[in-house]
Amino acid sequence: MENSITQPDSILPTPPATSPLTESQCKLVEKHYPQIRTVVMQMRHCLPACADLDELQSVGLTGLIAAVRRFDPSQTKTFDAYAAMRIRGAILDELRRLDWMPRSARQSARKLRKTVDGLEQTLGRMPTSEETREQLGLNRFDFDKLQLRTQPVRFLPLDKPVERGNSGTGALDLHECIADETTPLTPVRMENEEMLLALSSTLKMLPERPRQVIVLYYFHGRRLAEIAEVFKVTEARVCQIHSQALQLLRQRWTDRN
């Protein structure tokens, strides 16, 4: 979200105090509340299309309250300008927090846009990628990297219907079409479930103590020293049981398959 307005750190909004506002401070907030809308509308030209003006107005209220808390009552004549700075600072802070693109990438995007605009005026047409790359003085790799880094993000509603195509009738929502990468594929899930059942069955074929060592070590995350305390034996003995259990488990697994 491109924004050419910057604010010095000294006037960035501070977290609201825990103490309630005094009566005079509340009246000051009520009096200058319309100023929030004015500041938001003044900034509208540099806001991204996806910006929610009502939400930014709520953020601006925190800046106004911070201005009221920090303002020196003896300087009443300058409160309008001070409040505007605090409101603007609070809004910019929120926009930076929501911005998906780092500041360096945002600067590169502005430089790329400025270069394209300049070439368009000079050539009388939209410049090609090669002409833009040469104007920027970048090699092909760096230019491709710059374009990839400054690509805009498009937001689509997940409940927007999409056509099924010739293979089906009606429409689907996007959330029904987009795969959940965190969910394993059905064949993989079924294969894993079958393997776990087979492993559980094979574990039951082991003697009790080796089985308990395997369960405590691999399923409960116990260290060998902790398992040794459970069985009242040395850690070396548990290590030996563990190795024997793995060997026996491999043998039983091979015999099973």
Side-chain angles (χ1 to χ4, degrees):
M1 63 189 64
E2 189 168 353
N3 200 328
S4 60
I5 306 174
T6 57
Q7 293 288 335
D9 294 340
S10 60
I11 59 173
L12 290 178
T14 55
T18 54
S19 57
L21 295 175
T22 63
E23 184 178 353
S24 60
Q25 288 176 330
C26 288
K27 291 181 179 179
L28 199 57
V29 170
E30 293 177 4
K31 178 181 178 181
H32 292 272
Y33 182 79
Q35 188 177 3
I36 301 175
R37 189 69 179 178
T38 302
V39 172
V40 171
M41 297 309 295
Q42 289 174 347
M43 299 176 64
R44 189 173 185 176
H45 71 280
C46 60
L47 296 177
C50 61
D52 188 331
L53 299 184
D54 291 334
E55 183 175 343
L56 292 181
Q57 186 166 342
S58 298
V59 173
L61 178 59
T62 64
L64 176 59
I65 293 175
V68 169
R69 290 186 184 279
R70 296 172 63 97
F71 187 68
D72 182 0
S74 63
Q75 305 294 326
T76 307
K77 293 183 179 179
T78 62
F79 182 76
D80 285 351
Y82 178 68
M85 287 191 298
R86 297 294 305 212
I87 294 169
R88 187 185 300 268
I91 293 173
L92 291 176
D93 243 15
E94 178 67 8
L95 292 174
R96 294 188 190 104
R97 186 183 70 82
L98 298 175
D99 193 1
W100 63 272
M101 185 182 288
R103 183 171 298 181
S104 59
R106 187 67 63 189
Q107 292 173 348
S108 298
R110 286 197 292 267
K111 182 179 179 181
L112 178 61
R113 183 71 260 171
K114 184 177 180 181
T115 301
V116 171
D117 291 343
L119 286 174
E120 188 175 358
Q121 293 179 5
T122 302
L123 301 173
R125 58 173 174 80
M126 192 69 178
T128 64
S129 297
E130 192 66 20
E131 291 169 338
T132 305
R133 181 185 68 80
E134 292 178 356
Q135 182 69 20
L136 288 170
L138 299 175
N139 57 45
R140 189 173 300 278
F141 175 79
D142 290 337
F143 182 69
D144 291 343
K145 184 178 179 181
L146 173 64
Q147 285 187 308
L148 182 62
R149 194 173 182 222
T150 57
Q151 279 184 347
V153 172
R154 296 182 179 180
F155 297 93
L156 294 176
L158 291 180
D159 56 354
K160 179 180 179 180
V162 293
E163 294 297 329
R164 291 175 181 266
N166 297 330
S167 59
T169 58
L172 288 173
D173 292 339
L174 283 178
H175 68 79
E176 296 177 344
C177 304
I178 300 175
D180 184 358
E181 296 181 356
T182 62
T183 302
L185 298 176
T186 300
V188 175
R189 178 176 56 80
M190 294 180 64
E191 183 178 350
N192 290 338
E193 290 177 355
E194 291 178 1
M195 184 175 294
L196 286 175
L197 288 174
L199 180 59
S200 177
S201 178
T202 306
L203 278 174
K204 294 178 180 179
M205 300 170 63
L206 295 180
E208 181 179 357
R209 177 161 291 191
R211 183 175 69 251
Q212 290 178 345
V213 169
I214 293 295
V215 171
L216 289 174
Y217 188 77
Y218 290 101
F219 293 90
H220 294 279
R222 297 288 187 90
R223 295 178 299 173
L224 294 179
E226 295 174 334
I227 299 175
E229 293 181 1
V230 173
F231 292 111
K232 307 298 182 183
V233 296
T234 63
E235 185 175 349
R237 176 57 181 155
V238 171
C239 184
Q240 183 183 19
I241 296 174
H242 174 262
S243 299
Q244 293 173 348
L246 288 181
Q247 183 178 358
L248 187 57
L249 190 60
R250 291 192 190 99
Q251 180 181 348
R252 296 289 174 85
W253 183 266
T254 302
D255 295 342
R256 180 185 181 88
N257 297 327

